Amino acid sequence: MKNYFVLLLTGMMLVSGGASAAGCVKGAAAGAVVGHVAGHHAVAGAVGGCLVGRHMAKEKAKKEKAEADARKAQQAQQNPQQAPAK
């Protein structure tokens, strides 16, 4: 079973791209541990953990982008650029 899990995890890492794998490895590892403890369902836990990890990483990136956009808008509002004189 351990060999199967290592093979599956390695395959998931090779198939998934760098950008889309954000959070997948951490989630898969945590899910595998929880799945194993919950009744020897490490593979199902790894798959579920990968999906949850990717979702959480996307949400975090979306939140960080919104905060950065809000900071830029606030800075532009505080320091409006002066129009060049004609």
Side-chain angles (χ1 to χ4, degrees):
M1 186 62 169
K2 287 182 183 180
N3 291 335
Y4 180 71
F5 174 69
V6 170
L7 181 64
L8 179 69
L9 185 59
T10 304
M12 286 173 48
M13 288 172 34
L14 292 175
V15 171
S16 63
S20 65
C24 182
V25 176
K26 285 183 187 177
V33 170
V34 171
H36 176 72
V37 171
H40 301 288
H41 300 290
V43 176
V47 172
C50 178
L51 293 174
V52 171
R54 286 183 60 192
H55 173 71
M56 291 176 67
K58 285 181 183 180
E59 291 295 317
K60 181 180 176 183
K62 190 185 302 183
K63 181 181 175 185
E64 288 174 353
K65 184 180 183 314
E67 288 174 355
D69 290 344
R71 278 194 304 271
K72 285 181 184 178
Q74 186 180 21
Q75 288 176 353
Q77 198 174 36
Q78 290 175 353
N79 301 323
Q81 295 179 353
Q82 297 176 354
K86 292 185 179 181

